[in-house]
Amino acid sequence: MVEEQLRERGIHDERVLDAMRRVPRHRFVPAEHQRTAYGDRPLPIGWGQTISQPYIVAFMTEALQIAPDDVVLEIGTGSGYQAAVLGELTREVYSIELVPELAERARHTLDALGYRHVRTRTGDGYAGWPEHAPYSKIIVTAAPEAVPPALVEQLAIGGTMILPVGPDGGHQELRILTKTAEGVTTERSLPVRFVPMVKPAG
Ligand code: SAH
């Protein structure tokens, strides 16, 4: 997976490639998909959700240039796979998942593999996780139609956020936001297809 799908397609950061070599992706997918866990495609994880394809995980992780002292927030824990990759690169990771059953299963997997420094909770990612803000890096793994303001607020000055933006099933693109004292700059990157970031009722 690492050599053929990631390095060949342009992922060069050795720390990211090492992290992805260390995280056992098959442990994050349902039993019936474990045989194909290392193919370069997304896989269903239940509740209509998917674990992203390895290339996109690698691309987004590389774009964040994570250092060991970064405090990272992830929106959309899903299976917990992306959170584990982040947990290989830094000591402090916080991840929020809307669907309680997914959050619970991800917690179980992360504990079984020793990722106790990856903290998770069930909740709405649109509100972020203010208690541990500011975050030097934020990664969103479901697509909102616009950048959620609370996440920009919780991003540290000098921090970077990567997220897909666009309508459900329509044209989405990855955006890389950098926050400075003067404001936020945005770089537009790959076209992508993510599940929607759901706005809970009420
Ligand atoms: N990063 C995951 C894949 C995420 S799929 C992995 O590595 O497996 C997107 C996830 O975002 C889904 O689990 C979905 O339930 C969750 N999600 C959707 N809307 C959300 C919201 N408003 N807040 C938090 N999580 C949300």
Side-chain angles (χ1 to χ4, degrees):
M1 175 182 97
V2 166
E3 293 306 322
E4 285 171 25
Q5 297 157 31
L6 305 183
R7 204 191 291 279
E8 290 255 307
R9 288 184 67 185
I11 306 296
H12 297 304
D13 187 332
E14 293 297 334
R15 293 190 66 235
V16 173
L17 294 170
D18 276 347
M20 291 192 59
R21 239 181 240 118
R22 284 195 297 267
V23 180
R25 186 170 156 93
H26 68 279
R27 296 285 297 271
F28 294 85
V29 304
E32 64 268 31
H33 296 295
Q34 286 188 353
R35 277 186 308 115
T36 53
Y38 297 91
D40 197 24
R41 52 186 149 141
L43 290 170
I45 55 172
W47 290 273
Q49 305 302 326
T50 52
I51 176 173
S52 305
Q53 72 181 98
Y55 175 70
I56 293 294
V57 173
F59 182 91
M60 292 176 80
T61 308
E62 184 172 72
L64 286 176
Q65 295 179 38
I66 292 172
D69 59 350
D70 272 329
V71 182
V72 182
L73 174 67
E74 179 192 27
I75 307 301
T77 315
S79 68
Y81 177 70
Q82 172 76 69
V85 172
L86 296 167
E88 288 284 345
L89 294 166
T90 181
R91 288 183 287 270
E92 238 181 305
V93 179
Y94 298 91
S95 184
I96 306 176
E97 170 57 50
L98 187 63
V99 178
E101 292 86 350
L102 285 173
E104 209 170 293
R105 198 172 57 193
R107 182 70 263 158
H108 185 81
T109 311
L110 290 165
D111 281 345
L113 294 170
Y115 293 103
R116 289 193 182 78
H117 62 297
V118 176
R119 307 261 309 269
T120 54
R121 78 169 173 85
T122 302
D124 175 18
Y126 281 99
W129 192 337
E131 289 81 356
H132 304 287
Y135 301 95
S136 50
K137 306 287 161 66
I138 298 179
I139 176 169
V140 183
T141 64
E145 297 211 356
V147 178
L151 299 184
V152 177
E153 255 164 54
Q154 291 172 29
L155 186 62
I157 302 284
T160 307
M161 164 155 63
I162 186 163
L163 77 170
V165 178
D168 183 11
H171 174 80
Q172 301 170 359
E173 62 182 10
L174 281 181
R175 290 192 199 166
I176 302 168
L177 274 62
T178 309
K179 187 168 169 180
T180 67
E182 286 75 46
V184 175
T185 59
T186 302
E187 182 194 325
R188 284 157 201 274
S189 178
L190 295 186
V192 285
R193 183 157 287 206
F194 275 80
V195 296
M197 186 163 160
V198 175
K199 280 208 163 76

